[in-house]
């Protein structure tokens, strides 16, 4: 009787091997095959020699999930890797959806360090209070809905982490987002960016919201917008929680 296969969705963190959780490394080490987007597989390939790797390019996410389940149906332990956390703009939800067609395959999820958390640590402590995470990519979400979420988060004085702030086809999306945020936020609101979190070339910069509107970023950048209490302390972006000191 063949053993039952499984699919485990694994968040590998922002990029560096050291930022992966112990549980994530154990699952990858114990897997028969590792499946993922080509760029993410390249981040882990050297640390798991001898493993079989299967990849698909961007915009082939459903195919990637089907590939994972087909391997699991052979009785194999499959790890589907995602950058950051598998449940934050990752593959966990899609795996659960596609998994409805593969009831004999067990599915589990291993959390990872998402870019908001990894980038916040680089900047200092910008997310110590309530915060919202919003993706500016309108590939799967209409811009009108993104706009409504930006305005709501700004009005409610949330700290905000912005994912996917720009791309070759969306060069002005961060500028558009800043214009919306300025509806409710002061131009002096403390903001920050972190590029290549946990990877070679990691850089962090602090701006005002007015300055941020003029900054050019890419898909490897995570943007942080402070709330009305956010400060710059010794070069660090810090949002106080309200303790009396």
């Amino acid at each position: 009787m063949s053993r039952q296969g499984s699919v485990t969705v694994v968040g590998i963190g922002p990029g560096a091997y050291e930022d992966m959780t112990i549980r994530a490394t154990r699952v990858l080490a114990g897997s028969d095959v590792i499946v993922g987007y080509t760029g993410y597989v390249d981040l882990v390939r050297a640390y798991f020699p001898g493993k079989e790797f299967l990849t698909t390019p961007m915009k082939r996410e459903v195919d990637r999930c089907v590939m994972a389940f087909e391997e699991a149906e052979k009785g194999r332990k499959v790890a589907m890797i995602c950058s950051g956390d598998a449940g934050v703009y990752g593959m966990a939800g899609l795996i659960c959806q596609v998994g409805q067609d593969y009831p004999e395959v067990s599915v589990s999820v291993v959390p990872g360090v998402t870019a908001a958390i990894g980038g916040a640590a680089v900047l200092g402590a910008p997310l110590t209070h309530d915060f919202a995470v919003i993706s500016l990519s309108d590939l799967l979400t209409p811009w009108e809905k993104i706009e409504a979420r930006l305005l709501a988060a700004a009005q409610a004085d949330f700290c905000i982490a912005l994912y996917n702030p720009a791309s070759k086809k969306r060069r002005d999306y961060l500028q558009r987002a800043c214009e919306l945020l300025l509806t409710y936020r002061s131009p002096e609101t403390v903001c920050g960016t972190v590029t290549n979190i946990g990877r070679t070339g990691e850089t962090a910069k602090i701006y005002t919201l007015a300055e941020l509107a003029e900054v050019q970023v890419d898909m490897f950048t995570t943007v942080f917008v402070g709330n009305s209490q956010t400060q710059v302390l010794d070069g660090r972006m810090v949002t106080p929680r309200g303790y009396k000191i």
Side-chain angles (χ1 to χ4, degrees):
M1 182 176 179
S2 61
R3 65 186 177 95
Q4 183 182 24
S6 62
V7 174
T8 303
V9 198
V10 181
I12 63 172
Y17 178 79
E18 292 78 8
D19 288 333
M20 291 178 63
T21 66
I22 295 173
R23 183 180 172 195
T25 59
R26 287 176 176 170
V27 168
L28 294 183
S31 65
D32 297 313
V33 58
I34 297 173
V35 181
Y37 162 60
T38 307
Y40 300 154
V41 165
D42 289 342
L43 293 174
V44 304
R45 189 186 298 272
Y47 300 104
F48 301 95
K51 294 294 179 183
E52 180 179 350
F53 293 93
L54 299 176
T55 66
T56 67
M58 295 291 284
K59 299 183 181 181
R60 295 280 301 278
E61 289 81 6
V62 174
D63 293 341
R64 199 181 309 152
C65 290
V66 171
M67 179 188 299
F69 280 106
E70 288 179 346
E71 291 300 316
E73 282 193 315
K74 302 174 185 177
R76 310 182 79 185
K77 292 182 179 180
V78 180
M80 167 72 78
I81 62 172
C82 308
S83 178
D85 178 79
V88 180
Y89 306 115
M91 300 292 287
L94 185 55
I95 280 287
C96 290
Q97 291 176 284
V98 176
Q100 298 300 296
D101 295 329
Y102 301 87
E104 300 303 317
V105 176
S106 64
V107 173
S108 58
V109 179
V110 174
V113 178
T114 187
I117 307 305
V122 177
L123 283 170
L127 305 180
T128 308
H129 215 303
D130 297 337
F131 67 93
V133 177
I134 301 173
S135 171
L136 297 188
S137 172
D138 58 358
L139 182 63
L140 300 174
T141 304
W143 175 254
E144 292 75 17
K145 184 169 289 188
I146 296 171
E147 180 176 301
R149 290 170 177 170
L150 288 166
L151 290 171
Q155 185 175 24
D157 202 28
F158 279 101
C159 297
I160 306 171
L162 298 175
Y163 283 40
N164 307 312
S167 68
K168 292 181 179 179
K169 295 182 179 180
R170 299 182 294 104
R171 293 188 182 277
D172 65 337
Y173 275 37
L174 177 59
Q175 286 69 39
R176 293 166 64 180
C178 288
E179 291 172 3
L180 292 167
L181 296 174
L182 284 165
T183 305
Y184 297 105
R185 296 291 176 87
S186 164
E188 298 304 311
T189 300
V190 178
C191 300
T193 63
V194 186
T195 303
N196 295 321
I197 302 168
R199 307 180 193 181
T200 302
E202 177 183 272
T203 57
K205 296 182 180 179
I206 293 178
Y207 303 93
T208 66
L209 182 53
E211 291 171 336
L212 182 65
E214 304 300 322
V215 174
Q216 296 298 314
V217 296
D218 57 27
M219 288 289 285
F220 300 104
T221 303
T222 304
V223 177
F224 296 81
V225 179
N227 67 13
S228 60
Q229 305 302 310
T230 304
Q231 309 166 28
V232 179
L233 301 176
D234 295 326
R236 291 184 285 269
M237 183 178 177
V238 179
T239 302
R241 192 174 176 192
Y243 295 109
K244 295 183 182 299
I245 55 176

